[in-house]
Amino acid sequence: LCVDMLAVLRSRLGADFPVAIVDVDDDPALRAQYGEHVPVLVAGETELCRHRLDAAKLTSLLYGVPEEPRMQTVVKLLGTRG
């Protein structure tokens, strides 16, 4: 699912849009918080979606931010290696 969500993100946002990939297995706090409920897409402290991309929330986030800061917005894709 993580690879699928990343592929959809890249197709919608382009390859240059910053997406930080975070492995929850490398962080005990994230592992405790999300467990097997990955992938999770977050922007800052805001969780946008789990398991499947919520295009409406992603669009709302991106188009609610002016153009210049939008490119500085980093979304994080939380997932696991397994």
Side-chain angles (χ1 to χ4, degrees), residues 2-80:
C2 298
V3 172
D4 294 341
M5 187 181 285
L6 182 59
V8 173
L9 278 171
R10 291 290 181 220
S11 72
R12 290 178 180 263
L13 303 176
D16 293 336
F17 193 89
V19 177
I21 309 297
V22 178
D23 189 331
V24 298
D25 289 335
D26 292 339
D27 184 323
L30 290 176
R31 180 74 178 145
Q33 182 175 359
Y34 296 109
E36 298 299 319
H37 298 284
V38 293
V40 179
L41 188 64
V42 297
E45 299 297 315
T46 303
E47 182 177 315
L48 300 173
C49 53
R50 289 186 188 205
H51 306 289
R52 302 269 186 248
L53 182 67
D54 184 328
K57 284 187 180 179
L58 180 62
T59 299
S60 177
L61 167 79
L62 295 177
Y63 291 100
V65 177
E67 186 69 31
E68 179 112 355
R70 183 181 317 154
M71 291 311 293
Q72 296 171 9
T73 301
V74 176
V75 294
K76 292 182 183 176
L77 177 58
L78 310 176
T80 63

